[in-house]
C-alpha cells in the first residue's frame, strides 16, 4: 500500500504542479488504534512554484482526493505550506500532530526536524486544551445514542481528552499517539483496565461496531473534561508570537 500511496502523491503533485515537502499518515492508523478496515488518512504539505505567490490571486491552499485502491480507501488531504505555517502560528493542533506522525511517506530532507524545532514557541496551552475539548464535545454529541456508542467514537473522545489532560498538566504539546497519552493514566486501576480492554476490542472490531457505554469511562470523561476546562480558564489567552521564524522557514523552503 505504501507504493500505491507514493504513486498517488506523485500523481497529485504533477496534476497540480506543486512540490510535496512532507506526507504522513494521520487518523486512527497514525494515532495507534486502527481497526482491520480503517481507511488510510494521508496528509501532506506542498509548495507552489515561487511566482504563484507573487501574483494577485492567492494560490490554491488545499488539495483533496479520495480513491479506492485494492479495496482500501485512501483519503488524501494536503495544505499549502503557507497555510500550515499560519495555522501553526495560531497554535492550531493539526500541524503539531502532522509533525509527530509515526508513519512518513515523503519528506524533503530535514523538513520535519527543522519545523519541529520552531514549533514550541507557537504553542498556546490554552488554545490546545480548547481545541481538544472541542473535539471531545463534538464526538460526544455525534457519537452517543440511547446509551450506546460506536467503539471508534469512544477513541475519538478519549484520545483528545487525554491530549487536553497532557497539556493542562504539563503545559506542552501532547503526543499524537494514543499509547504515550494513556501511559500517564494510572489511577484508578479499574479505569485503565477498562480502557485497555476497549482498545484490544477496537483493534479487532469493524469501524461501525456499536457497544454499550462503559460507566467508569463515562465518569472519567465527564470529570476530566470539566477539570481541563477549569485549568484552561486560568491560562493566559494572549498569544501573539513573532512570525519572523516562520517567514524565514517559508522562504527557505521555496528556494530549496
Amino acid at each position: 500500500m505504501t507504493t500505491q500511496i507514493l504513486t498517488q502523491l506523485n500523481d497529485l503533485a504533477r496534476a497540480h504542479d506543486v512540490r510535496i515537502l512532507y506526507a504522513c499518515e494521520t487518523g486512527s492508523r497514525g494515532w495507534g488504534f486502527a481497526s482491520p478496515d480503517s481507511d488510510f488518512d494521508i496528509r501532506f504539505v506542498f509548495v507552489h512554484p515561487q511566482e504563484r505567490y507573487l501574483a494577485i490571486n492567492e494560490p490554491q491552499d488545499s488539495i483533496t482526493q479520495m480513491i479506492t485502491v485494492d479495496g482500501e480507501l485512501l483519503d488524501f488531504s494536503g495544505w499549502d505550506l503557507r497555510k500550515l505555517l499560519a495555522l501553526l502560528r495560531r497554535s492550531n493542533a493539526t500541524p503539531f500532530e502532522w509533525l509527530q506522525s509515526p508513519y512518513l511517506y515523503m519528506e524533503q530532507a530535514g523538513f520535519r526536524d527543522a519545523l519541529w524545532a520552531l514549533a514550541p514557541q507557537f504553542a498556546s496551552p490554552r488554545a490546545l486544551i480548547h481545541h481538544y475539548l472541542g473535539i471531545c464535545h463534538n464526538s460526544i454529541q455525534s457519537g452517543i445514542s440511547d446509551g450506546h456508542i460506536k467503539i471508534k467514537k469512544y477513541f475519538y473522545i478519549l484520545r483528545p481528552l487525554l491530549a487536553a489532560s497532557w497539556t493542562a498538566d504539563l503545559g506542552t504539546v501532547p503526543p499524537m499517539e494514543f499509547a504515550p497519552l494513556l501511559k500517564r493514566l494510572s489511577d484508578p486501576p479499574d479505569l485503565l483496565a477498562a480502557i485497555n480492554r476497549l482498545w484490544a476490542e477496537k483493534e479487532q472490531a469493524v469501524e461501525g461496531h456499536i457497544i454499550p457505554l462503559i460507566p467508569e469511562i463515562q465518569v472519567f470523561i465527564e470529570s476530566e473534561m470539566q477539570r481541563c476546562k477549569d485549568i484552561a480558564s486560568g491560562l493566559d489567552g494572549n498569544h501573539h508570537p513573532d512570525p519572523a521564524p516562520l517567514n524565514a522557514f517559508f522562504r527557505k523552503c521555496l528556494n530549496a
Side-chain angles (χ1 to χ4, degrees):
M1 192 53 63
T2 297
T3 299
Q4 296 283 4
I5 289 170
L6 289 172
T7 297
Q8 295 300 321
L9 285 168
N10 285 320
D11 288 348
L12 283 170
R14 283 193 294 271
H16 293 271
D17 188 23
V18 297
R19 179 162 49 94
I20 294 178
L21 304 175
Y22 183 78
C24 66
E25 183 71 31
T26 62
S28 58
R29 293 181 183 275
W31 297 329
F33 47 73
S35 298
D37 59 343
S38 289
D39 302 340
F40 287 82
D41 296 299
I42 302 101
R43 302 295 178 256
F44 60 97
V45 184
F46 63 87
V47 288
H48 293 279
Q50 191 175 79
E51 60 270 16
R52 290 188 196 162
Y53 297 103
L54 303 176
I56 294 173
N57 295 330
E58 291 285 340
Q60 180 181 11
D61 68 0
S62 62
I63 297 171
T64 59
Q65 178 174 283
M66 295 186 69
I67 62 170
T68 301
V69 177
D70 297 335
E72 300 280 5
L73 180 62
L74 308 183
D75 178 358
F76 292 88
S77 181
W79 286 346
D80 174 58
L81 177 61
R82 186 160 61 179
K83 176 177 181 175
L84 180 91
L85 296 179
L87 289 171
L88 181 65
R89 188 194 177 203
R90 297 201 295 271
S91 195
N92 183 289
T94 301
F96 293 102
E97 292 208 358
W98 289 14
L99 291 172
Q100 295 183 76
S101 174
Y103 301 114
L104 297 190
Y105 296 115
M106 300 176 70
E107 182 190 14
Q108 178 177 289
F111 177 89
R112 175 156 73 172
D113 287 348
L115 187 51
W116 187 250
L118 298 177
Q121 63 189 290
F122 299 98
S124 162
R126 187 172 187 270
L128 291 172
I129 294 170
H130 282 305
H131 170 88
Y132 284 115
L133 290 181
I135 295 175
C136 292
H137 175 78
N138 292 339
S139 295
I140 289 169
Q141 293 299 309
S142 64
I144 296 177
S145 177
D146 296 326
H148 289 72
I149 187 172
K150 288 183 180 179
I151 194 168
K152 173 182 178 179
K153 279 288 187 178
Y154 242 146
F155 285 85
Y156 281 28
I157 298 169
L158 286 169
R159 189 196 72 91
L161 179 54
L162 292 174
S165 298
W166 177 291
T167 301
D169 292 338
L170 303 178
T172 59
V173 176
M176 172 187 181
E177 295 178 82
F178 187 65
L181 292 170
L182 186 60
K183 190 177 293 185
R184 292 189 64 250
L185 187 64
S186 58
D187 187 58
D190 61 333
L191 172 63
L192 183 58
I195 294 175
N196 278 317
R197 285 194 300 270
L198 186 67
W199 192 359
E201 184 178 356
K202 167 73 168 66
E203 291 181 332
Q204 302 300 319
V206 297
E207 290 280 297
H209 181 56
I210 297 175
I211 62 172
L213 295 174
I214 300 170
E216 54 265 51
I217 293 180
Q218 291 304 115
V219 169
F220 169 71
I221 289 170
E222 183 177 351
S223 63
E224 191 63 9
M225 284 187 70
Q226 187 59 55
R227 188 182 76 88
C228 290
K229 286 179 185 177
D230 292 342
I231 292 174
S233 68
L235 297 176
D236 185 6
N238 187 21
H239 182 71
H240 303 291
D242 183 0
L246 296 180
N247 287 332
F249 183 84
F250 177 64
R251 296 178 187 120
K252 182 177 180 180
C253 288
L254 283 186
N255 294 324

